[in-house]
Amino acid sequence: MMMAAVLAPPVAAVEPGPIHQRTRATVTADTLPTAQINGVVWSQAVADDVVYAGGEFTSVRPAGAQVGTSESPRSNLMSYSLSSGVATSFAPDIDGVVKVLALSADRSTLYVGGQFAHVNGLPRMGFASFAVATGELTPLAPNVNATVNAIAVRGRTVYLGGNFNRVNGLPRTRLAAVNADNGALTGWAPTADATVQALVAPPGARAIVAGGSFARLNQAVAPGMGSLDAVTGESRPWAVNQVVQNSGENAAILTLAADHDTVYGGGYTFGDGNFEGVFAADAVTGDVRWLQDCHGDTYDVVPIGDQVYSVGHAHFCSNIGGFPDTTPRTRWSRALAVTKQPTGTVGTNTQRSSAYQDFAGHPAPSLYNWFPDVASGTYTGLSQAAWSVTGTERYLVLGGEFPRVNGRAQQGLARFAVGDLAPNRQGPRVTADPTTPTVSIGTNQVSLSWRANWDRDDQELRYQVLRNGAVISADTATSHFWRRPALGYVDRSGRPGASYRYQIRVQDGDGNTVTSPAVVQTYPSDDSYARRIRFDGAKHQWRLGSPSGSTSDPDGVGGLPLTADSGVTFGARGALRADADSAATFNGGSAARARTASSARAVGAVSVEGWVKTTSSDGGALMGFGPGDGSDPDAAGLRQVRIETGGQVSFSVRGSGAASAMVTSPRTVADGGWHAVVAVQTATHLQLYLDGRLVATRAMSFEVPAVTGRWGLGGPAAPAPPEGSVSHFAGTLDDVSVFPTALTPAQAYEHHRLGSPRFRVIDVARGG
């Protein structure tokens, strides 16, 4: 293989353009009911409302019919209605492979090329033609001694390309031209040193552009493609073959197409070439207009309107802002659409190999979000799907060996249409569990997150958050099958404690929807009280909200979790208004206690706060700090909040020796309702707050020493309880916290206001 020097990129590297949303002029991904064949279609041509399909097959059957049913014989060439998909009666008998179809400029004649010897029993060596109006075989019968792969038409001249070396008995090296009226060989006789696979006659240039696996045209270097004068056959400048160079045993340009000023082409490489994808070049000079640098063979290409469609097996389009490869490779896009105009530049190639050159900086088109699922077939043994693509401004047609399109049986032929003609039923693809939102709770809010869905022909999807079936949020997001960003919504409008069913409903522009399974979540309470406790400098915070069956409760601030004995159970209804957090119940027995597993140091001022609910007037320890292991009721440094016999709350501390002090509330709390208790020890005073108000204070004349010990709830009681009272508390505790400072009256009041009880139960039997 001979390779010419690669030209430098014509523009500075910027970045690929965005993926484009399908427009009304772009076909949808819906496949329409279409006749089916039982082999492979290599080429197609459209004349008004008739689609001609040629290849290797022996029968045709209606849309929806299974293989072997409702079949009618066809011998490698057939036709069907473009608008209805129903096969016509056109049924010529061709005894070999049809490789290429082309139409005369006035669309009155269908030209057929391939590897066959007879048509309708008459000699036709590799070439035949039919009258479109009648379906009759014409007398035109040039004799080509080997396969015709390519046909181009200019005026009354038909150009041929393939593997032949003689036409009408005269030498022609893989390229020839015949008169469309009588089949006579013209003097056009360029040469190619290997197979010619494609020909095109650009309307705006007096040239025939050839593509194939050759390295030379007319003995001049032309790796994979070149331009030839349409009259003389002489080689013309063709700049793109200095950039795209696919020639040799394992590379070729396989397809060429043109509009009024641009030639489009594509091919493959398996090590001998440097490009896979689609290129666009100036029809006269061959200057590169853009490169669709998608790795994977490209078998056919057609420009229609503002789109350029191609078929092949693209597996990597990241260089132009599209999809990445998979490892291992499990996905191929068998049909693509890109913009006709460049929108950005090719990015730096991230999939380096001997087959894939870096084309960074060259102009690039953008992919459309159009990704029909065309399944690979088995007929050729090459595991390919579509080999041919063509169409009109209203319809696009594929031909190949595929057995299914979009998961539904449809063999060998497929139709697509613009939105006005299509059913528009290709909706969001992902359903069931992968669409279920993940839910987390926060402060008076529920946060939902989910991955974006994707759609075969819509990149803009609308997402609705449903709560108990009602829409509470709606927004749009852009996604593609390879790029499904994380989306989310925060629900701040729920009712604390209410149970809600959250779902995500996804809708495309045509109204197709999928709805996720529901996830049920209890709306959280407002924990402004708990946040205020932390804000005011709590050193320890035990919310006592562990689930039922737990034996410990975390310290939300200081890292000293409580370990509960068997007399403590979690899961009771909590104290605080607008807070779903639960509470802990103490049964009053000897095991009704919870303590920190490790030691802490109490120094200087201390405030202890908690919420208590009980109907017992028997007394018992509520919360406190004990030096050492906390069991010595006479140890210096002990702080203890307890309920006395009769139901009053007391707070006591011990100094060195026999020094001690205690304050007691004037009224009982054993009324079955929740009460906020705040006990404060400063250097000079003890203070006791009940339900936000200072109810007792006492001066201290001794110092409380700084000691190391454990915090505990429920017991043991210390100092020793009065005779006749019990040591362990019977009731419920919630939200206990410890501060290394003296809380102020304003703080005690605000804490009670923020956490004022959600309910109050009056014990009628006790009169209170």
Side-chain angles (χ1 to χ4, degrees):
M1 177 184 66
M2 299 184 65
M3 300 285 284
V6 176
L7 297 180
V11 294
V14 183
E15 61 181 8
I19 308 300
H20 277 226
Q21 172 66 19
R22 173 176 57 88
T23 69
R24 300 301 296 179
T26 313
V27 298
T28 75
D30 300 279
T31 182
L32 307 177
T34 308
Q36 306 175 81
I37 52 89
N38 65 348
V40 60
V41 170
W42 294 114
S43 183
Q44 301 170 101
V46 179
D48 298 324
D49 190 51
V50 178
V51 182
Y52 295 95
E56 301 174 56
F57 47 83
T58 60
S59 71
V60 64
R61 65 186 188 276
Q66 296 182 355
V67 177
T69 66
S70 303
E71 292 186 338
S72 299
R74 294 293 188 276
S75 297
N76 304 315
L77 182 62
M78 56 84 67
S79 68
Y80 67 88
S81 166
L82 179 62
S83 58
S84 71
V86 176
T88 72
S89 60
F90 180 64
D93 182 9
I94 300 180
D95 66 356
V97 178
V98 173
K99 294 291 292 184
V100 60
L101 301 177
L103 289 163
S104 61
D106 62 4
R107 298 184 180 274
S108 65
T109 304
L110 174 70
Y111 300 111
V112 180
Q115 188 176 15
F116 48 82
H118 296 86
V119 177
N120 294 343
L122 299 175
R124 292 293 187 274
M125 295 298 296
F127 182 90
S129 65
F130 295 86
V132 168
T134 64
E136 297 296 325
L137 183 68
T138 73
L140 189 65
N143 187 313
V144 187
N145 73 337
T147 305
V148 174
N149 295 321
I151 298 174
V153 181
R154 181 179 294 281
R156 302 305 298 167
T157 302
V158 180
Y159 298 85
L160 310 178
N163 290 322
F164 51 83
N165 57 25
R166 300 186 75 83
V167 177
N168 290 345
L170 298 176
R172 289 295 187 268
T173 309
R174 302 182 180 89
L175 291 160
V178 298
N179 185 284
D181 296 317
N182 56 27
L185 190 65
T186 74
W188 193 77
T191 63
D193 67 353
T195 302
V196 174
Q197 296 282 10
L199 293 174
V200 68
R206 198 188 79 165
I208 301 298
V209 180
S213 57
F214 51 82
R216 292 177 176 270
L217 288 175
N218 296 329
Q219 302 304 312
V221 173
M225 59 178 155
S227 179
L228 302 165
D229 189 283
V231 176
T232 67
E234 294 177 351
S235 295
R236 299 161 57 104
W238 191 243
V240 67
N241 69 10
Q242 302 297 295
V243 179
V244 174
Q245 301 184 326
N246 282 8
S247 63
E249 293 184 1
N250 295 300
I253 297 300
L254 298 175
T255 179
L256 293 166
D259 56 22
H260 67 284
D261 63 356
T262 304
V263 170
Y264 307 88
Y268 85 103
T269 175
F270 200 66
D272 286 348
N274 68 347
F275 181 78
E276 290 183 338
V278 177
F279 67 83
D282 182 275
V284 176
T285 66
D287 291 338
V288 175
R289 293 192 185 275
W290 49 253
L291 300 178
Q292 179 255 68
D293 188 23
C294 288
H295 300 167
D297 300 357
T298 297
Y299 302 129
D300 202 8
V301 62
V302 62
I304 300 176
D306 293 329
Q307 292 80 41
V308 178
Y309 296 93
S310 61
V311 293
H313 64 245
H315 53 83
F316 173 85
C317 281
S318 292
N319 291 345
I320 64 166
F323 47 88
D325 217 334
T326 58
T327 304
R329 189 168 295 159
T330 57
R331 185 183 180 101
W332 291 264
S333 290
R334 309 287 184 170
L336 298 176
V338 297
T339 58
K340 185 171 286 188
Q341 300 300 321
T343 58
T345 58
V346 178
T348 300
N349 182 29
T350 58
Q351 192 176 56
R352 296 296 186 95
S353 76
S354 60
Y356 302 131
Q357 185 176 311
D358 186 0
F359 293 99
H362 284 280
S366 285
L367 286 167
Y368 279 94
N369 192 92
W370 182 75
F371 301 107
D373 183 6
V374 188
S376 61
T378 59
Y379 183 84
T380 66
L382 299 174
S383 299
Q384 300 306 316
W387 292 95
S388 171
V389 59
T390 191
T392 68
E393 291 187 354
R394 306 285 280 169
Y395 291 95
L396 186 79
V397 292
L398 304 186
E401 59 181 303
F402 47 85
R404 296 177 305 281
V405 180
N406 296 335
R408 300 184 65 178
Q410 179 61 44
Q411 188 175 4
L413 296 167
R415 290 184 306 142
F416 302 87
V418 296
D420 292 344
L421 301 173
N424 298 296
R425 298 305 300 164
Q426 289 299 312
R429 302 306 310 155
V430 184
T431 59
D433 288 343
T435 67
T436 305
T438 299
V439 174
S440 60
I441 60 173
T443 302
N444 198 31
Q445 66 184 36
V446 171
S447 298
L448 297 95
S449 61
W450 65 94
R451 284 188 69 192
N453 213 305
W454 72 277
D455 191 300
R456 289 183 175 125
D457 56 14
D458 283 299
Q459 65 175 353
E460 299 291 337
L461 299 177
R462 184 171 180 82
Y463 296 86
Q464 295 175 323
V465 178
L466 307 181
R467 189 177 67 189
N468 288 353
V471 177
I472 60 172
S473 172
D475 204 353
T476 60
T478 300
S479 60
H480 312 97
F481 70 79
W482 70 96
R483 186 186 296 127
R484 295 170 55 205
L487 303 177
Y489 174 74
V490 178
D491 179 15
R492 295 186 174 92
S493 63
R495 180 169 57 84
S499 180
Y500 292 113
R501 298 173 68 253
Y502 290 99
Q503 294 171 282
I504 308 301
R505 183 162 64 201
V506 192
Q507 184 178 60
D508 69 4
D510 296 313
N512 301 300
T513 63
V514 296
T515 303
S516 76
V519 59
V520 179
Q521 177 63 54
T522 299
Y523 197 87
S525 303
D526 182 357
D527 72 346
S528 55
Y529 168 83
R531 285 188 287 117
R532 182 58 183 263
I533 293 296
R534 295 190 292 271
F535 177 81
D536 283 345
K539 185 177 182 180
H540 304 290
Q541 183 184 41
W542 300 288
R543 302 216 61 201
L544 303 179
S546 296
S548 177
S550 298
T551 58
S552 65
D553 193 72
D555 181 353
V557 177
L560 289 180
L562 289 170
T563 299
D565 289 349
S566 60
V568 181
T569 56
F570 294 97
R573 189 172 188 184
L576 308 184
R577 179 194 61 195
D579 190 334
D581 184 69
S582 59
T585 300
F586 294 73
N587 67 10
S590 60
R593 65 179 186 175
R595 294 193 300 169
T596 59
S598 56
S599 298
R601 188 167 176 81
V603 180
V606 172
S607 299
V608 182
E609 178 171 338
W611 293 77
V612 58
K613 178 167 73 92
T614 185
T615 57
S616 172
S617 297
D618 294 334
L622 294 177
M623 44 203 177
F625 175 84
D629 65 1
S631 61
D632 184 356
D634 298 318
L638 182 140
R639 286 94 163 166
Q640 182 72 63
V641 181
R642 59 172 288 109
I643 292 183
E644 302 296 332
T645 303
Q648 295 87 355
V649 177
S650 68
F651 174 45
S652 60
V653 298
R654 278 195 175 272
S656 299
S660 66
M662 184 170 71
V663 289
T664 304
S665 69
R667 65 182 177 87
T668 180
V669 296
D671 58 6
W674 282 105
H675 296 276
V677 176
V678 178
V680 178
Q681 171 236 311
T682 72
T684 58
H685 286 80
L686 295 184
Q687 297 170 328
L688 185 64
Y689 294 84
L690 194 61
D691 297 330
R693 298 180 181 277
L694 182 65
V695 295
T697 184
R698 179 174 178 174
M700 285 195 316
S701 59
F702 58 89
E703 180 180 348
V704 180
V707 295
T708 298
R710 297 184 180 184
W711 288 96
L713 309 181
E723 185 176 352
S725 66
V726 298
S727 298
H728 296 269
F729 170 65
T732 308
L733 289 176
D734 198 8
D735 278 87
V736 175
S737 51
V738 176
F739 300 81
T741 57
L743 292 178
T744 66
Q747 288 174 314
Y749 174 82
E750 182 64 11
H751 292 180
H752 178 261
R753 185 191 69 80
L754 289 173
S756 57
R758 63 160 68 149
F759 67 91
R760 183 177 179 85
V761 176
I762 303 299
D763 190 331
V764 177
R766 292 178 177 267

